[in-house]
Amino acid sequence: MDWCRFLRASAWAIQREPSSFSPSRGLLQSNRDLDPSFARDRIWRSWMFLFYWASDSVNVGTMQQASSMLTLGLSYREVIPCIFIGNLIISFALTANATTGAQLHIPFSIISRASFGIYGAWFLVISRLILGLIYFGINTQILSSCTAVMIGAIWPSFQTIPNHIPEHIGITTQGMVAYIVAWTIQLPFLVIPPVKMKYLFVVKSIVMTISTFVLLGWSVNKAGGGGPIFSQHSSLTGSAKSWAWMYCINAAMSSKTTLAASISDFSRYARKPSDQYWQVILIPVWYTLWSVFGIICTSASYVIYGEFIWDPTKIIARWDSRAGAFFMALAFAMGTAGTNISTNSVAVSNDFTALVPKYLNIRRGAILCAFLGGWACVPWNLQNSGMVLLNFLSGYAIFLAPAIAVMICDYFFVKKRCYVIPELYRPNGRYRYWFGVNWRAFLAVAITLPINLPGLAHVMSPSTTHIGNLQYAYKASWLIAFSFAFLTYYIANLVSHKPSPFFRVLVIYPY
């Protein structure tokens, strides 16, 4: 056998499907994962989207977000409506973007070409790729915390392992062992095709729901009630209280922005577009419900341990029952891994596929994501670097929100749902625009930055950046970015774009 052939680039090239619309050479090649999904793969029904969002909402981050909002000075009576309103607003934008994928059966990286241009779409793909890699590493680090609790529950001596790693590395020997175990266990699940992930979401939803209720029941029973948070009142009044409301609503929307941009990577497998309309109801209900559970557990922890513990895994780590701690940590580990796969791994895999379609598909992209996001990003140092990076990642919604607005406006209002799918794969087709870039889309994104960028700079460095009243605009950054970009793109197309074709797209799938 000629093993040397694996060293040749041609040996790693992915075989093209006969139905591919793209050229056989150049930067815009395609493969099966980028082409419109097969009819046999369009099997996602309404109940699958139910479990998808149930799976994504039940995690440590959701439970922490609501509890952290209480530190702004609002009471739980005000935080809970803020979370519901924010998730309701983002659910409409997300479902609108998902409808595009459900009707055309193509991924986000291809859909974005219609509004940003054949080459301009790379701005969105690369932006989401970098963000996804960083978040993948951070979530894997959170997964390792659950793994450490599990290992410590089985072998208590693990908790006293001496550290042999230099301090400047940013992680201990115990932490590195837990991280390696967590990364290794997670790796096989990354290569599951997105169309078959519904079973993973079902299992995760059931396990995490049971575990959350167990933690909730234990907390309330141990504390003898809900704790002091439910007797506290807001410490804010007047405009300060109103802006705190706005900030919480904005935070709830920003946390789903990445999913709102890339949801078509999943909705493309919908049996019919109406199967995913339920997301408008599912998202605000699921996230609000589990946010309430997070508040209750945090409040009860003050009665039990004398301090507010925002992270439920840290509550579990203090349990006396080793068996209870192990199984609860296992459940939360499943929840974290499932969220990491659905939110980060699938998105990054699709992005890699769009950038290098000749050599990468979704499965290879997932493996590359595991190594680059899990190791090259050095996630343990990311979390130890302070709040600057985390604030930047949270504030990145000011770039993605206008991009989402452009995509929605383009599909529903500018081109009237008339996308010619083969043209999305051709370098010299109707979506080439000006040298492959649609300047109207980038104008719509750019016009929102002077309002929101100063606020992001202020959040990252409040002591050195003084922006006056623009700090209030940043508290509504998502709504400002979305609305300004939507109007700008629509007006720019009214005054400069050719009329949309009067016919609706008709594509004959030869499979």
Side-chain angles (χ1 to χ4, degrees):
M1 186 178 217
D2 184 12
W3 293 100
C4 294
R5 67 187 180 88
F6 290 104
L7 300 178
R8 305 188 192 106
S10 58
W12 293 91
I14 297 173
Q15 184 177 1
R16 286 168 47 86
E17 296 292 329
S19 59
S20 293
F21 304 124
S22 63
S24 58
R25 295 183 179 182
L27 298 175
L28 295 178
Q29 297 181 56
S30 184
N31 57 44
R32 173 180 172 179
D33 289 336
L34 288 179
D35 286 347
S37 59
F38 288 94
R40 66 172 179 266
D41 290 335
R42 301 170 201 161
I43 58 176
W44 277 52
R45 299 172 181 265
S46 299
W47 67 268
M48 297 178 186
F49 285 96
L50 167 68
F51 280 106
Y52 173 84
W53 287 110
S55 169
D56 191 78
S57 63
V58 188
N59 59 62
V60 175
T62 302
M63 299 178 72
Q64 281 183 300
Q65 185 186 61
S67 302
S68 62
M69 289 180 180
L70 295 172
T71 61
L72 298 175
L74 296 176
S75 69
Y76 81 94
R77 299 177 185 85
E78 294 152 339
V79 166
I80 293 173
C82 288
I83 293 173
F84 181 84
I85 294 171
N87 280 288
L88 181 63
I89 294 174
I90 191 66
S91 69
F92 279 101
L94 185 147
T95 304
N97 243 355
T99 299
T100 309
Q103 291 179 340
L104 305 182
H105 306 292
I106 53 180
F108 157 81
S109 54
I110 302 299
I111 292 174
S112 58
R113 293 176 179 178
S115 51
F116 281 83
I118 290 293
Y119 299 117
W122 286 354
F123 164 74
L124 292 183
V125 172
I126 294 174
S127 297
R128 192 184 67 161
L129 172 64
I130 296 173
L131 198 65
L133 285 174
I134 295 175
Y135 271 125
F136 179 88
I138 292 176
N139 276 277
T140 305
Q141 176 69 12
I142 296 174
L143 175 62
S144 71
S145 299
C146 300
T147 306
V149 175
M150 294 163 56
I151 298 175
I154 300 174
W155 298 287
S157 58
F158 174 76
Q159 301 174 1
T160 58
I161 290 179
N163 180 40
H164 299 288
I165 298 179
E167 185 177 352
H168 71 273
I169 300 298
I171 191 172
T172 63
T173 300
Q174 179 190 115
M176 180 58 73
V177 171
Y179 189 87
I180 293 174
V181 173
W183 182 89
T184 304
I185 294 175
Q186 180 182 239
L187 182 61
F189 296 97
L190 301 180
V191 298
I192 300 175
V195 69
K196 296 181 180 179
M197 283 187 180
K198 59 182 182 293
Y199 304 112
L200 175 65
F201 298 144
V202 170
V203 173
K204 180 201 163 184
S205 301
I206 295 173
V207 171
M208 279 298 296
T209 299
I210 295 174
S211 301
T212 302
F213 276 102
V214 169
L215 178 61
L216 181 68
W218 177 88
S219 299
V220 173
N221 179 69
K222 192 76 173 179
I229 286 180
F230 293 93
S231 61
Q232 294 177 357
H233 298 279
S234 175
S235 60
L236 302 176
T237 57
S239 61
K241 188 174 183 178
S242 299
W243 283 114
W245 261 72
M246 189 69 254
Y247 184 81
C248 290
I249 293 173
N250 193 78
M253 291 186 291
S254 297
S255 63
K256 311 295 182 302
T257 301
T258 305
L259 274 174
S262 59
I263 186 60
S264 54
D265 290 338
F266 284 101
S267 66
R268 64 184 293 202
Y269 301 113
R271 182 190 55 170
K272 55 184 180 180
S274 59
D275 284 332
Q276 55 87 38
Y277 292 159
W278 288 98
Q279 295 177 113
V280 175
I281 301 174
L282 296 175
I283 293 173
V285 170
W286 280 121
Y287 280 93
T288 303
L289 182 62
W290 259 264
S291 296
V292 172
F293 292 162
I295 292 174
I296 295 174
C297 293
T298 298
S299 181
S301 69
Y302 184 85
V303 178
I304 301 170
Y305 300 111
E307 61 177 316
F308 290 114
I309 302 177
W310 313 104
D311 186 346
T313 60
K314 293 183 178 179
I315 298 176
I316 297 170
R318 298 192 182 193
W319 284 7
D320 296 328
S321 171
R322 289 166 53 188
F326 172 83
F327 286 110
M328 287 295 293
L330 176 62
F332 276 93
M334 290 180 60
T336 303
T339 300
N340 204 18
I341 293 170
S342 63
T343 306
N344 302 313
S345 175
V346 171
V348 170
S349 302
N350 277 277
D351 294 337
F352 275 130
T353 304
L355 293 176
V356 196
K358 184 176 181 179
Y359 298 105
L360 295 179
N361 55 18
I362 290 179
R363 179 169 294 181
R364 293 181 183 180
I367 296 174
L368 196 57
C369 171
F371 282 94
L372 293 180
W375 294 101
C377 290
V378 195
W380 47 87
N381 274 340
L382 292 178
Q383 290 196 311
N384 293 333
S385 62
M387 294 300 296
V388 175
L389 177 63
L390 296 180
N391 284 333
F392 174 77
L393 293 175
S394 300
Y396 204 80
I398 67 174
F399 299 96
L400 286 181
I404 294 170
V406 167
M407 293 174 66
I408 294 174
C409 181
D410 185 76
Y411 184 65
F412 289 98
F413 296 93
V414 175
K415 298 187 176 70
K416 314 289 186 182
R417 294 187 296 169
C418 296
Y419 282 2
V420 182
I421 295 180
E423 295 286 293
L424 291 170
Y425 295 85
R426 293 169 181 162
N428 296 311
R430 69 177 61 202
Y431 303 113
R432 180 176 175 83
Y433 299 110
W434 183 70
F435 293 102
V437 176
N438 185 3
W439 62 267
R440 304 167 191 83
F442 284 91
L443 172 65
V445 173
I447 204 168
T448 67
L449 299 183
I451 302 174
N452 288 325
L453 271 181
L456 177 59
H458 175 72
V459 170
M460 294 176 62
S461 181
S463 60
T464 59
T465 307
H466 304 284
I467 59 174
N469 290 331
L470 280 178
Q471 62 179 307
Y472 298 110
Y474 186 72
K475 295 180 184 296
S477 59
W478 199 97
L479 290 173
I480 290 175
F482 185 92
S483 57
F484 276 42
F486 192 100
L487 290 174
T488 301
Y489 185 75
Y490 186 74
I491 294 172
N493 278 277
L494 281 180
V495 300
S496 67
H497 195 59
K498 295 179 181 180
S500 300
F502 64 88
F503 56 86
R504 291 192 177 276
V505 59
L506 176 62
V507 178
I508 301 176
Y509 296 99
Y511 25 81

